[in-house]
Amino acid sequence: MPDWKKLIEGKIALAKRGAKPSAPNPNVRVPAGQKQVNNFPILDLGIKPAISTAEWQLRVYGLVENEIKLDWAQFQALPQLADISDFHCVTRWSQLDMVWQGVRVRDVLALANPHNTAHFATMHSYDGYSTNLPIDALLDDDVILAHSVFSEALPREHGGPVRMIVPKRYAWKGAKWIKAIELHEHDKRGFWEVRGYHNDADPWLEQRFSDDE
Ligand SMILES: Nc1nc2c(c(=O)[nH]1)N[C@H]1C(S)=C(S)[C@@H](COP(=O)(O)O)O[C@H]1N2
Ligand SMILES: [Mo]
């Protein structure tokens, strides 16, 4: 098992380094407090689960009319798209123009037919990670379940076979090795959100820590 305390303290220290939030500037693509990189760093909890496409499944459950479990073939049969977006990690690096391919989260949610009372989601991953978002945020055009990056199958270290990408939020909101989306009426904080990270995570507002909520 990883040394959770050390890992968490290290990540929070990295994110705390640097300036106070400044006003967003529409002419820049790198939000305040971030540095542009091109090497696509790897961040995880010290566990990189090995999930083959044959065993991978995505379950949608909770406040839904039809609980669903998609296997790889069913997932591949859904409408596919490519989306180019920028990736902002709260530990202060941003990589621009990431090319993701996958399926819109809203197409997957529609299959499950969420109840009207479903307002929030928890994404669950094979490594025990979780993160939360309002369902409204998941319905955006650019929110996808990605199986490829730069036209190659998503490598295990970046969350393959499938991860979520939520371009308008810091990257911790994008669950790698995703296995389930659970819908609730009330919000429930995820792994980092209970450990001091901001619940909303908008990089343009520098929503890094829960102290600022
Ligand atoms: N399952 C899972 N998803 C995760 C994480 C994790 O540890 N486990 N880390 C998050 C964080 S903090 C970031 S910055 C991004 C990093 O994605 P990358 O390793 O592909 O750069 O994944 C996010 N999704
Ligand atoms: Mo991160």
Side-chain angles (χ1 to χ4, degrees), residues 40-45 89 125 127 129 158 163 171 174 176-177:
F40 195 15
I42 295 162
L43 273 96
D44 55 49
L45 302 175
C89 173
S125 297
D127 61 343
Y129 186 81
H158 287 298
R163 76 175 300 166
K176 296 160 70 163
W177 310 291

Side-chain angles (χ1 to χ4, degrees), residues 64-84:
V64 297
E65 198 59 39
N66 320 308
E67 181 171 323
I68 57 168
K69 231 178 206 180
L70 295 178
D71 65 16
W72 183 251
Q74 292 166 325
F75 176 69
Q76 292 293 333
L78 293 173
Q80 301 287 319
L81 76 149
D83 188 72
I84 301 178

Side-chain angles (χ1 to χ4, degrees), residues 11 40-47 49 87-91 93 100 124-131 154 157-159 163-165 170-178 191-192 197:
K11 287 196 180 173
F40 195 15
I42 295 162
L43 273 96
D44 55 49
L45 302 175
I47 305 162
F87 193 86
H88 309 293
C89 173
V90 73
T91 61
W93 55 270
W100 303 103
H124 298 278
S125 297
Y126 284 95
D127 61 343
Y129 186 81
S130 62
T131 187
L154 186 64
E157 64 270 22
H158 287 298
R163 76 175 300 166
M164 197 179 281
I165 292 296
Y170 282 119
W172 88 77
K173 291 288 184 181
K176 296 160 70 163
W177 310 291
I178 191 165
F191 182 91
W192 284 115
Y197 278 12

